[in-house]
Amino acid sequence: MTDTRSVTGTRPPKPRNNPAQTKPTTVVSVGSMDYTLYLVVIILVCIGVIMVFSASYVRAATRIIFNQDAFYFLRRNGLMAIGGFIVMNITANVYYGWYKPWARLLYAVTIGLLIAVLFIGLGSGGAIRWLPIPGTDFAFQPSEIAKAAAIFIMAWMVSEYEGGLRNWPGFLIYCGVAGLITGLVMYTGFSSGIIVAVIAFGMIFIASPHILRFVLIGAAGVAGAVGIIVFGEGFRIARVAAWRDPWAYFDDVGFQIVQSLYAIASGGLFGLGIGESRQATFVPEAHNDIIFAIIAEELGLIGAGLVMLLFGIFIWRGIKIALNAPDTFSSMTAIGIVFGIAFQAIINIAVVTNAIPNTGVTLPFISYGGTSLIVSMALAGVLLNISRYSKERGG
């Protein structure tokens, strides 16, 4: 029998400036989290640990930089997965309302970290995105933390100033808050900036009663993105050209996507088997951005389809949680988390299959990357906590 115990002190404030929604609302606890969502995340992370090792062990065993240690990436990724599991279980058991008063501080600290990257950041592959962790050989990406900061600050603003989106000044303030963090992230990584923009402006879109304003903002955003590609650094134009005909640029920017397509094509229906990849030693960042291609090669169409199905279940359960959330803050937080995970997964798979131009985006829960994994699992934990609560409206 479902436990519907009332939660003391969790009654949300009455919606502002919306008389149609002034019916009393009782918040109840359903007693347990969404275990379907929990299981999906665990399965995705386990797939990630296995596939990162499978895609990296040859490279790690043959490179001096990794001490010719075949288990180099497995140990580090496994450690991060354990840390992410602990963090997820903590956030899953911390009442979601606790994050609300800390949203502004998280936003401010994240802005500071993004600025610090510009001065003391570490570079890799031509991008400066990391800050070192003193006393260790680890580093973290503030752009990953920015995704969480964007979610919480937007949820806080919408819940505290719902009427602000009804007029142009308020709307522009929302856009300014979203634009500041997006701009700083985009300076360190164009693709990460796009994801933060989708999260922040997507949440504003959901909360705003005016669609026409987003037509204008969307047009300006598309124009800005095109401008960055056309008038920015030449490699972005080259990537668009390689997307249209990757084999024409096989020796340059098209090499990665060609090898990725070879991997997908050779996988067939059932795959070559775990550890049997032929392309893992050729595909740059096989254990990171392009890991979905290795999944398709080693596990075949069935394995790749299973991964996509798991992300589909995550999206479905996340949307359901957002719709049943007891108040504005929890609902907006849930939809922001779903936006972030879903859009990033779609972009990664689209890049690997050459549906869109190549850009560096990790596959959530699966790709190698400590900050991305821990932040994604922490946010999944918040979503799981929100799933413990539902709304019961009275008349």
Side-chain angles (χ1 to χ4, degrees):
M1 190 172 184
T2 304
D3 183 5
T4 57
R5 296 168 294 173
S6 296
V7 179
T8 305
T10 60
R11 184 186 298 273
K14 293 181 179 180
R16 303 177 185 178
N17 303 322
N18 196 344
Q21 298 181 1
T22 57
K23 290 183 179 181
T25 301
T26 301
V27 180
V28 296
S29 170
V30 297
S32 61
M33 69 180 72
D34 187 326
Y35 283 104
T36 299
L37 181 67
Y38 185 83
L39 183 61
V40 164
V41 174
I42 294 299
I43 293 174
L44 284 171
V45 173
C46 289
I47 290 174
V49 171
I50 294 170
M51 294 310 303
V52 164
F53 174 62
S54 183
S56 66
Y57 76 93
V58 173
R59 181 184 179 210
T62 56
R63 301 281 182 93
I64 296 177
I65 190 176
F66 304 122
N67 298 318
Q68 296 180 316
D69 179 4
F71 298 97
Y72 178 86
F73 289 103
L74 176 63
R75 277 199 305 272
R76 294 170 72 94
N77 198 51
L79 180 62
M80 293 302 174
I82 293 171
F85 179 77
I86 294 171
V87 171
M88 183 176 71
N89 280 275
I90 292 174
T91 56
N93 287 282
V94 174
Y95 173 54
Y96 67 83
W98 182 87
Y99 302 102
K100 187 174 180 179
W102 297 98
R104 288 167 291 178
L105 178 61
L106 176 61
Y107 180 83
V109 170
T110 303
I111 294 296
L113 292 174
L114 290 170
I115 293 174
V117 170
L118 305 180
F119 298 96
I120 60 172
L122 301 177
S124 177
I128 300 177
R129 301 176 183 174
W130 293 266
L131 284 178
I133 299 177
T136 73
D137 61 344
F138 288 91
F140 69 98
Q141 291 190 58
S143 59
E144 294 294 334
I145 300 174
K147 297 170 187 176
I151 291 169
F152 287 120
I153 195 65
M154 288 294 109
W156 176 81
M157 290 181 70
V158 172
S159 63
E160 287 295 303
Y161 305 103
E162 293 181 56
L165 288 170
R166 298 180 182 278
N167 54 73
W168 271 106
F171 180 78
L172 293 176
I173 290 174
Y174 273 78
C175 290
V177 172
L180 175 60
I181 193 168
T182 296
L184 287 171
V185 173
M186 193 167 290
Y187 192 86
T188 62
F190 181 76
S191 54
S192 297
I194 292 295
I195 293 172
V196 172
V198 167
I199 292 172
F201 288 99
M203 292 175 71
I204 296 174
F205 174 78
I206 292 294
S208 175
H210 302 290
I211 304 300
L212 180 59
R213 292 175 184 173
F214 277 89
V215 175
L216 300 176
I217 294 294
V222 170
V226 171
I228 291 174
I229 293 173
V230 174
F231 300 105
E233 298 179 51
F235 76 90
R236 292 196 178 99
I237 299 177
R239 283 186 173 183
V240 173
W243 164 60
R244 298 178 62 185
D245 186 3
W247 278 269
Y249 296 84
F250 177 78
D251 293 330
D252 193 11
V253 291
F255 180 80
Q256 187 179 53
I257 192 62
V258 168
Q259 296 299 334
S260 174
L261 293 175
Y262 281 153
I264 294 172
S266 63
L269 183 61
F270 298 103
L272 303 178
I274 295 177
E276 299 298 324
S277 172
R278 301 166 184 162
Q279 302 301 126
T281 55
F282 296 100
V283 180
E285 301 297 326
H287 59 294
N288 199 342
D289 299 346
I290 311 296
I291 195 168
F292 186 77
I294 307 302
I295 292 173
E297 183 183 21
E298 295 190 349
L299 303 181
L301 179 62
I302 291 178
L306 173 62
V307 170
M308 291 189 287
L309 176 62
L310 289 169
F311 279 112
I313 295 173
F314 182 96
I315 295 169
W316 162 52
R317 301 305 296 179
I319 292 175
K320 183 176 180 180
I321 291 168
L323 292 174
N324 291 328
D327 53 51
T328 301
F329 178 77
S330 58
S331 180
M332 292 304 300
T333 299
I335 203 62
I337 294 171
V338 174
F339 266 163
I341 299 296
F343 184 74
Q344 190 166 333
I346 291 170
I347 290 295
N348 179 276
I349 294 172
V351 165
V352 169
T353 56
N354 202 38
I356 63 173
N358 194 356
T359 185
V361 174
T362 56
L363 187 60
F365 306 118
I366 294 180
S367 292
Y368 177 78
T371 315
S372 175
L373 180 58
I374 290 177
V375 170
S376 295
M377 294 186 75
L379 290 175
V382 175
L383 190 60
L384 287 167
N385 181 262
I386 295 172
S387 73
R388 297 181 60 190
Y389 303 89
S390 62
K391 56 188 175 185
E392 182 181 275
R393 294 195 177 275

